[in-house]
């Protein structure tokens, strides 16, 4: 058994003094840390409430990530009462508001202190087709409070655009954007698109994209007969069925190689409702 040396009262007293002093310094350090953090927070809030930290108009809002959308259109959709303190702007609410607009897929808003401004980073829904003369947008036009008959660079009864998932995109969102030319917007046209077709549209568009056949117009006015305008002429497909439609596209692709035997200018339409035995209707046969 080891022998423990007794601790003298003087040594115990010194140790107690050291512990008290250490606790005192810890308390002082904690108090100073609290005052420093509180001062920084208060100072930051005071600075941001000063006139130099006020956003006076939409010119202090930077829009990033737009390609088709006009930045001024995005700014006009931000419900901010100017002038507004930078710290008082509810960025979460602004993000939720912008996400509710059909053309916008995602958005993140950052505050910037030097110089004071808001940065809005967008991810757009990309339009893939032009909607022409259909009833798809009656409800949406009312939602956006815009007329269904809109002026556009297209010589058509245009009611908007649509993305690959069937989301309607208002035409006015893409107007007045000097960075986007008509050539950059989609040229594929859809006639007779309805909301009930949205799920089918996603599959149909993917099939057309994967096919070597060039399609310039989709006429979906008749539910029992999907009509396309292709490089070999107008084609009838019957009701849209993904498996049958894939086979019909293959038939069109095969017929493209036979254009030397087929004069598209004489063809009124090609009936592919039976893809194995396509029926060619010529203008001559109607006279």
């Amino acid at each position: 058994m080891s022998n423990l040396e007794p601790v003298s009262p003087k040594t115990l007293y010194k140790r107690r003094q050291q512990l008290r002093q250490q606790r005192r310094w810890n308390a002082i350090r904690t108090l100073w840390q609290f005052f420093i953090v509180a001062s920084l927070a208060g100072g930051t809030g005071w600075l941001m409430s000063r006139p130099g930290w006020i956003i006076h108009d939409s010119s202090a809002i930077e829009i990033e990530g737009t390609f088709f959308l006009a930045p001024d259109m995005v700014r006009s959709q931000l419900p901010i009462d100017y002038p507004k303190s930078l710290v008082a702007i509810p960025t979460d609410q602004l993000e939720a508001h912008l996400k509710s607009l059909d053309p916008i897929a995602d958005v993140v808003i950052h505050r910037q202190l030097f110089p004071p401004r808001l940065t809005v980073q967008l991810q757009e829904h990309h339009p893939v087709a032009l909607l022409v003369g259909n009833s798809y947008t009656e409800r949406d036009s009312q939602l956006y409070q815009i007329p269904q008959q809109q002026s556009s660079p297209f010589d058509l009864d245009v009611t908007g655009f649509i993305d690959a998932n069937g989301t309607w995109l208002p035409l006015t969102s893409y107007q007045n954007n000097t960075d986007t030319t008509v050539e950059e917007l989609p040229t594929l046209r859809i006639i007779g698109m309805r909301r009930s077709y949205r799920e089918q549209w996603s599959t149909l568009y993917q099939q057309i994209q994967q096919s070597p056949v060039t399609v310039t117009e989709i006429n979906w006015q008749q539910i029992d007969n999907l009509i396309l305008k292709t490089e070999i002429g107008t084609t009838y497909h019957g009701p849209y069925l993904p498996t049958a439609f894939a086979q019909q596209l293959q038939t069109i692709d095969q017929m493209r190689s036979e254009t030397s035997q087929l004069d598209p200018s004489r063809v009124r339409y090609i009936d592919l409702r039976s893809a194995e035995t396509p029926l060619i209707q010529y203008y001559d046969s109607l006279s």
Side-chain angles (χ1 to χ4, degrees), residues 35 45 71 85 89 91 154 175 206 214 233 258 271:
F35 279 120
S85 170
I89 295 177
T91 56
F154 306 94
Q175 293 177 334
Q206 186 177 12
T214 300
E258 302 172 1
D271 193 335

Side-chain angles (χ1 to χ4, degrees), residues 268-282:
R268 183 169 181 259
Y269 64 84
I270 302 172
D271 193 335
L272 295 170
R273 281 173 278 199
S274 176
E276 297 179 355
T277 56
L279 174 64
I280 302 177
Q281 181 70 57
Y282 292 96

Side-chain angles (χ1 to χ4, degrees), residues 1 10 13 15 63 66 68 85 93 148-149 153 157 161 163 166 183 193 206 219 232 236 239 244 247 258-259 269:
M1 184 174 180
K10 186 176 181 179
Y13 175 77
R15 289 181 180 177
I63 309 297
T66 58
F68 293 103
S85 170
Q93 295 179 21
Q148 292 192 42
Q149 298 291 336
D157 179 18
F161 296 98
D163 76 349
E183 289 75 16
M193 180 69 184
Q206 186 177 12
N219 190 325
I232 65 170
Y236 288 5
Q247 186 177 359
E258 302 172 1
T259 52
Y269 64 84

Side-chain angles (χ1 to χ4, degrees), residues 130-166:
L130 188 66
L131 293 170
V132 180
N134 57 75
S135 59
Y136 182 80
T137 61
E138 289 179 357
R139 174 181 171 275
D140 303 282
S141 297
Q142 296 172 4
L143 177 65
Y144 280 84
Q145 297 181 348
I146 57 178
Q148 292 192 42
Q149 298 291 336
Q150 306 173 56
S151 60
S152 75
F154 306 94
D155 296 328
L156 299 166
D157 179 18
V158 176
T159 53
F161 296 98
I162 191 172
D163 76 349
N165 295 317

Side-chain angles (χ1 to χ4, degrees), residues 58-170:
S58 62
S59 64
I61 299 177
E62 184 175 350
I63 309 297
E64 298 179 352
T66 58
F67 181 77
F68 293 103
L69 292 175
D72 285 341
M73 188 283 299
V74 179
R75 293 187 183 96
S76 69
Q77 294 297 322
L78 292 171
I80 300 176
D81 294 327
Y82 302 102
K84 192 80 169 181
S85 170
L86 187 64
V87 72
I89 295 177
T91 56
D92 291 345
Q93 295 179 21
L94 295 181
E95 289 175 353
H97 175 70
L98 289 179
K99 287 179 183 178
S100 69
L101 303 179
D102 283 339
I104 299 175
D106 197 14
V107 60
V108 177
I109 299 178
H110 299 285
R111 293 185 181 91
Q112 180 178 310
L113 301 181
F114 303 100
R117 65 173 56 247
L118 285 182
T119 300
V120 180
Q121 296 177 328
L122 294 179
Q123 180 180 345
E124 300 178 12
H125 285 289
H126 283 248
V128 299
L130 188 66
L131 293 170
V132 180
N134 57 75
S135 59
Y136 182 80
T137 61
E138 289 179 357
R139 174 181 171 275
D140 303 282
S141 297
Q142 296 172 4
L143 177 65
Y144 280 84
Q145 297 181 348
I146 57 178
Q148 292 192 42
Q149 298 291 336
Q150 306 173 56
S151 60
S152 75
F154 306 94
D155 296 328
L156 299 166
D157 179 18
V158 176
T159 53
F161 296 98
I162 191 172
D163 76 349
N165 295 317
T167 302
W168 177 71
L169 308 172

Side-chain angles (χ1 to χ4, degrees), residues 37 177 196 201 247:
V37 172
N177 186 356
S196 58
W201 160 252
Q247 186 177 359

